[in-house]
Amino acid sequence: MPHEFRVSTHRRCEMIDITTSVRRAIAELGLSEGALVVFVPHTTAGVTIQENADPDVVHDFLMELAKIVPFEDGYRHAEGNSAAHLKTSLVGSSVHLLVERGEPLLGTWQGVYLCEFDGPRTRKVWVKAVGSGVV
Ligand code: ZN
């Protein structure tokens, strides 16, 4: 099984910075050099990498995504959360990270974000090391 951590979300649509949890997972996995897959096993929440310095960036991201995929648009899916399913496919369910000396190689302004589109809920995040350097 992959390493797992959980994230509680608080709104219907929200982006939560999970970089600290990913760093902790790398330490717990004992990964020093290699690569990491961060995977979100849900159909109404995804994961992406985005700027973590200015919170207006994720605000604008969610605002524009809501224009591309309106909450109501004559969808057929009876559960009423088609917009969440569509947004999840747009952002994707996984990201890859490179790891050196036990640290993820991220750009200065990059953070890893869980993207909630049908909250509030508790979401799972799976982390699996790939490649060399796994102790
Ligand atoms: Zn659904």
Side-chain angles (χ1 to χ4, degrees):
M1 280 298 291
H3 180 88
E4 179 182 298
F5 64 86
R6 293 179 186 232
V7 180
S8 295
T9 65
H10 307 96
R11 291 196 289 270
R12 186 167 76 195
C13 292
E14 182 177 23
M15 290 171 70
I16 296 180
D17 189 337
I18 59 169
T19 311
T20 300
S21 297
V22 170
R23 285 182 196 278
R24 190 178 309 123
I26 291 168
E28 289 174 12
L29 288 165
L31 179 65
S32 57
E33 307 284 328
L36 193 75
V37 176
V38 180
F39 182 84
V40 172
H42 300 286
T43 61
T44 56
V47 63
T48 193
I49 293 172
Q50 193 45 266
E51 174 170 328
N52 65 0
D54 179 0
D56 284 343
V57 172
V58 296
H59 171 274
D60 291 349
F61 184 89
L62 291 172
M63 182 177 73
E64 291 306 302
L65 206 52
K67 292 178 186 171
I68 296 167
V69 184
F71 186 71
E72 296 284 352
D73 201 20
Y75 303 120
R76 292 175 60 171
H77 178 47
E79 212 177 18
N81 60 355
S82 282
H85 289 297
L86 296 171
K87 289 174 179 176
T88 298
S89 283
L90 289 176
V91 302
S93 297
S94 67
V95 295
H96 286 78
L97 297 173
L98 301 175
V99 176
E100 280 188 14
R101 298 185 192 88
E103 289 290 324
L105 294 183
L106 288 164
T108 304
W109 309 116
Q110 286 183 317
V112 183
Y113 284 87
L114 178 98
C115 302
E116 173 64 79
F117 297 122
D118 196 25
R121 299 191 196 202
T122 299
R123 299 298 195 171
K124 296 177 200 168
V125 179
W126 289 348
V127 180
K128 183 90 174 178
V130 291
S132 60
V134 182
V135 177

